[in-house]
Amino acid sequence: TGGFPMHRFFQPTFPDAGSVILGGPEAHHLAHVLRIAAGAEIEIFDGQGRSAAATVTRISKRDVELQVLRSRVTPIPMPDLTLAVAAPKGDRLDWLVEKSVELGVRRLIPLLTTRSVVDPREGKLDRLRQAVISACKQCRRDHLLEIETPVRWAAFLDGLDSAETCWIAHPGGRPVAELLAPAESRPLVAAI
């Protein structure tokens, strides 16, 4: 863990030093599920690359006060990878999000295609964003995976940036190893 505590909690903003209040589901998880006591050292992260070791100083019914001890900034993982995928049914989408976080994907774009059967609405996207936070806590990732609103295949193709390298898998295509070296410095988009 690089000298940082085992338990991690998502806190969108916190100072480099001083106190911060952890609230909502994260405070509930710390105090009532894990039953962490005052004096324990935990880790918080903001999802934008910053994390900090902090000491629990006070626990109340609704929130937890923390004292930030030391912080660090993690650079954005390379390569800068976007995954555009026709959303699979059921739990497979949750699994896809979790594995994308673990593998370092920066952005996920759900695609709406001719034969799509899943069109994730805002409620489903909100639940997936919570799954991103949980996966980041589990695998110690400091950058949240961005989940964009679903887009039609044609609009996705029209919106590709010329600075991005886009891969679409094909059984007769070139091996990934041949394609990776020249594309390492450019943002990558993999469409499925």
Side-chain angles (χ1 to χ4, degrees):
T1 62
F4 276 70
M6 289 294 292
H7 293 293
R8 301 186 87 213
F9 300 91
F10 178 64
Q11 175 64 30
T13 59
F14 56 87
D16 290 331
S19 69
V20 64
I21 301 296
L22 185 68
E26 295 294 286
H28 173 79
H29 188 69
L30 182 147
H32 303 291
V33 177
L34 296 174
R35 297 182 183 189
I36 293 174
E41 195 172 305
I42 62 147
E43 182 179 8
I44 54 177
F45 72 105
D46 68 359
Q48 303 300 311
R50 288 181 60 226
S51 60
T55 301
V56 176
T57 56
R58 180 188 53 81
I59 298 174
S60 71
K61 283 188 174 190
R62 296 178 193 248
D63 58 34
V64 176
E65 185 177 358
L66 307 171
Q67 183 68 35
V68 176
L69 303 173
R70 60 192 178 281
S71 63
R72 68 177 178 204
V73 176
T74 306
I76 294 174
M78 294 308 277
D80 181 354
L81 179 61
T82 296
L83 180 62
V85 61
K89 291 193 289 186
D91 293 341
R92 291 180 286 180
L93 182 56
D94 297 343
W95 182 85
L96 175 73
V97 166
E98 180 182 310
K99 297 309 167 197
S100 295
V101 169
E102 292 171 1
L103 292 171
V105 174
R106 184 182 64 82
R107 189 171 58 138
L108 180 77
I109 304 171
L111 296 175
L112 302 174
T113 64
T114 304
R115 294 196 171 101
S116 290
V117 292
V118 176
D119 179 5
R121 302 279 185 216
E122 200 54 42
K124 173 75 170 178
L125 294 176
D126 288 342
R127 194 175 62 71
L128 290 173
R129 289 180 182 113
Q130 288 302 311
V132 167
I133 292 170
S134 295
C136 284
K137 288 163 57 172
Q138 185 82 13
C139 73
R140 309 196 68 74
R141 178 174 164 171
D142 290 334
H143 294 272
L144 294 179
L145 167 75
E146 298 170 30
I147 300 178
E148 296 193 359
T149 55
V151 64
R152 297 234 166 257
W153 174 247
F156 164 74
L157 292 175
D158 289 341
L160 282 174
D161 187 338
S162 61
E164 297 173 317
T165 299
C166 184
W167 294 347
I168 301 174
H170 187 278
R174 293 173 40 203
V176 172
E178 287 180 21
L179 301 170
L180 191 56
E184 281 180 1
S185 62
R186 296 177 64 181
L188 300 174
V189 178
I192 302 172

